[in-house]
């Protein structure tokens, strides 16, 4: 039996700020940019047990992950997993990838398997399109992945930068869910080709505008590029999700937030969660309070201020021995 008795893992939620080349017109498909978050995460503890037991939020998803991982790793599933907190499912914050990586990382440490995060992601079929969830689990901060080529197993992280500590993101939640699972796969297959000229433009904008602006702390320029990226991807996704935003209510809130001076306006992944950025925590809190009054009649909407998680290896692993 393993000498380790208890392993705790924390996996950060992420903002998926958009794909670069959805059709692979330039040779590699997808490629994306995103940010790890501090305030929303999946936290779980794996410990010794006489029989398999899973408790806490989204235990059914965790149960499926445990089965798949234990079969692939050829290890016993007689462990106890207590989920203390979990990223909300299917709202664009990366819940599935982070749950899979958290459980896989705990099992890897418990049984001393010596696997990498990439090994675990491949076993769970994560990174088939975006590599942002894997990237923020490994690195934190802002990451850009290189999409998928002919020999790609999981999308490589090309860029990792710290997000300026003062920047804040405002999240706009809707109680609905974005496309996921088979619906998401079908939506991708039904989308028309993404224009090559648009992909070329977005590549340049991210490489020569967004990334330098992060390094130099220029939120206005960074926000302009993210808004352009979101507009292009949102229009492309519109036939599958009913508009640039999956939620009309979120769309209304994003228009209002733009008028308040927020930048980097968009929807994370398939949504329905919207996001934007402002320069300071106090400004973000003020805007959120105003937004809650402005949209008090839209009971499905909620607002939250979050910050970037720049911790190297934003996921945290704590091991306790016997």
């Amino acid at each position: 039996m393993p000498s380790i008795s208890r392993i705790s893992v924390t996996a950060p939620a992420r903002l998926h700020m958009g794909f670069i080349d959805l059709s692979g017109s330039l040779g590699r498909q997808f490629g994306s940019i995103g940010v790890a978050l501090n305030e929303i995460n999946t936290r779980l503890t794996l410990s010794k047990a006489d029989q398999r037991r899973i408790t806490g939020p989204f235990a059914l998803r965790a149960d499926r992950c445990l089965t798949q991982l234990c079969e692939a790793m050829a290890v016993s599933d007689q462990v106890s997993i207590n989920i203390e907190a979990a990223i909300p499912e299917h709202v664009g914050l990366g819940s599935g990838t982070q749950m899979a990586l958290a459980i896989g990382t705990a099992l890897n440490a418990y049984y001393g398997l010596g696997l990498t995060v990439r090994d675990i992601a491949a076993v769970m079929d994560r990174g088939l399109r975006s590599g942002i969830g894997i990237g923020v689990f490994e690195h934190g901060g802002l990451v850009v992945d290189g999409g998928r080529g002919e020999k790609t197993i999981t999308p490589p992280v090309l860029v990792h930068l710290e997000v300026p500590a003062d920047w804040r993101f405002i999240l706009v939640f809707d109680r609905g869910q974005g496309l996921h699972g088979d619906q998401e796969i079908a939506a991708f297959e039904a989308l028309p080709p993404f224009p090559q000229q648009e992909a070329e433009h977005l590549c340049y904008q991210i490489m020569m505008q967004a990334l330098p602006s992060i390094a130099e702390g220029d939120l206005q320029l960074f926000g302009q590029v993210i808004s352009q990226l979101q507009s292009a991807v949102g229009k492309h996704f519109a036939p599958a999700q009913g508009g640039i935003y999956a939620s009309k209510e979120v769309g209304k809130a994003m228009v209002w937030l733009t008028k308040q001076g927020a930048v980097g306006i968009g929807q994370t992944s398939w949504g329905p969660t919207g996001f934007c950025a402002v320069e300071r925590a106090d400004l973000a809190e003020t805007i959120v309070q105003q937004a809650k009054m402005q949209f008090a009649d839209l009971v499905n909407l909620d607002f939250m201020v979050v910050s970037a998680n720049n911790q190297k290896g934003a996921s945290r692993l704590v091991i306790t021995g016997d």
Side-chain angles (χ1 to χ4, degrees), residues 84-166:
E84 300 159 30
I87 300 164
E89 289 188 316
H90 311 312
V91 299
L93 297 177
S95 61
T97 294
Q98 301 310 309
M99 179 70 80
L101 293 180
I103 294 176
T105 296
L107 286 169
N108 179 50
Y110 183 68
Y111 287 107
L113 302 177
L115 301 176
T116 67
V117 171
R118 299 273 159 171
D119 293 333
I120 296 166
V123 163
M124 296 301 291
D125 292 327
R126 292 292 159 179
L128 297 181
R129 288 174 290 274
S130 171
I132 296 301
I134 302 170
V136 299
F137 190 92
E138 293 174 310
H139 301 288
L142 178 138
V143 296
V144 177
D145 78 73
R148 302 194 64 84
E150 292 182 4
K151 299 180 180 179
T152 301
I153 298 175
T154 55
V157 170
L158 305 181
V159 177
H160 164 235
L161 293 172
E162 288 194 2
V163 178
D166 291 341

Side-chain angles (χ1 to χ4, degrees), residues 6-7 10 23 82 161 172 258:
R6 182 181 175 88
I7 297 174
T10 300
S23 299
N82 178 41
L161 293 172
V172 185
T258 302

Side-chain angles (χ1 to χ4, degrees), residues 165-170 278-290 305-306:
D166 291 341
W167 291 9
R168 291 295 182 271
F169 299 95
I170 297 174
V278 297
E279 292 181 331
R280 306 185 316 275
D282 60 335
L283 178 59
E285 294 291 350
T286 297
I287 292 174
V288 162
Q289 292 307 313
Q290 293 172 345
V305 177
V306 296

